[in-house]
Amino acid sequence: MNMHYEKGQFVGYVTVAGPRSEVPVPNRWYLRQCSPGCDARVIERLRMLDVSAWSPTIVRFIDRRTGKVAAKPHLGKRVEKPFLPGLIFIPDFELNSAAMRHGVPDLGEFLRVTVSGGGRVIERSDFMREVHLVDEYTFASMRVVDMAVLRDIVNDENGVRIGRGRRGNYKPGDMIYIVDGDSPLFAFAAEVKRGIDSRGRLNAFIASLMGGVSVDLSETQVEPA
């Protein structure tokens, strides 16, 4: 039945049949490996299977003549590359989906992080013992708050490029950015834990990656935040 409604008129409501669809919210995102150069292909296959996944990408506009970043987007060719090549982020609510159980071409195993190594003694006889080394590990994952930081970094990087070639006399507690475009840690913020040594290297702590990771970097790979 067609009704003509006028502005200001009071109306009722109708009940929609069927349950309301709830949008799942992840608590953690797990890192899963993929074949080299297949990041975009894997993401597309997962989307076709209605599986949520994310591969952060960096967009650049490259001048065809010089091969360098163009002064303005319309003056260059659009090039998109993975921010963390070979890694795909999978939300926890997708871990047991049918598509993930059956396998996806070019999608590898979950990234594992070794927690500790130990030994287990197996008694064979009164005179012989056999020792098996056992590594305890956990699956690499990131909290929602850490993912928000990562998304902010990627968004900022796709807006205004980080990196002007500045150098600094770094000391513990200083904040820096990793500006080496070939590094998988490119554009991450980190805190200096050990200043530059005689070899021009420093140690920094990345709090937003997998619960915290310490890395050694060259002074040419970083700049002051």
Side-chain angles (χ1 to χ4, degrees):
M1 180 174 60
N2 294 326
M3 299 289 293
H4 177 69
Y5 296 102
E6 297 180 357
K7 186 176 180 179
Q9 180 181 354
F10 287 95
V11 297
Y13 63 89
V14 295
T15 303
V16 177
R20 186 176 64 179
S21 178
E22 296 289 343
V23 178
V25 178
N27 293 311
R28 298 193 76 88
W29 289 75
Y30 287 81
L31 282 73
R32 192 156 180 175
Q33 302 172 84
C34 69
S35 301
C38 295
D39 306 63
R41 188 182 309 167
V42 169
I43 288 294
E44 183 61 28
R45 286 171 174 166
L46 291 173
R47 286 174 180 167
M48 292 175 63
L49 295 171
D50 293 327
V51 174
S52 298
W54 184 50
S55 173
T57 55
I58 299 298
V59 177
R60 290 286 178 267
F61 294 89
I62 305 300
D63 190 314
R64 293 178 173 85
R65 297 171 301 171
T66 64
K68 297 181 180 180
V69 177
K72 296 182 178 180
H74 70 276
L75 298 177
K77 175 185 177 183
R78 189 179 190 275
V79 176
E80 186 173 327
K81 66 177 183 178
F83 182 63
L84 296 171
L87 292 178
I88 303 294
F89 290 85
I90 306 290
D92 50 12
F93 58 79
E94 295 284 19
L95 297 183
N96 296 318
S97 66
M100 300 300 285
R101 290 197 303 270
H102 294 154
V104 176
D106 297 313
L107 183 62
E109 300 294 329
F110 284 97
L111 185 65
R112 297 181 180 184
V113 178
T114 301
V115 177
S116 64
R120 181 173 57 191
V121 178
I122 299 178
E123 297 284 351
R124 289 298 185 186
S125 68
D126 293 338
F127 307 100
M128 182 183 300
R129 289 183 178 182
E130 185 176 343
V131 177
H132 289 260
L133 295 179
V134 179
D135 284 333
E136 295 182 1
Y137 64 86
T138 184
F139 292 111
S141 66
M142 294 178 67
R143 300 173 300 168
V144 173
V145 63
D146 295 330
M147 287 294 289
V149 173
L150 177 58
R151 290 181 186 275
D152 286 342
I153 292 172
V154 174
N155 290 338
D156 289 342
E157 179 59 22
N158 283 327
V160 179
R161 180 177 172 82
I162 297 172
R164 295 290 183 269
R166 294 176 289 154
R167 301 290 180 84
N169 184 21
Y170 307 107
K171 60 184 183 298
D174 287 348
M175 295 303 297
I176 57 175
Y177 283 121
I178 300 172
V179 295
D180 181 1
D182 295 327
S183 170
L185 302 176
F186 176 56
F188 273 86
E191 179 184 354
V192 175
K193 292 299 183 181
R194 188 190 69 241
I196 298 174
D197 59 21
S198 59
R199 297 182 300 167
R201 299 185 66 80
L202 56 84
N203 180 266
F205 183 76
I206 305 175
S208 60
L209 183 63
M210 293 185 291
V213 175
S214 292
V215 293
D216 289 322
L217 301 164
S218 168
E219 64 175 331
T220 61
Q221 293 179 288
V222 302
E223 71 169 23

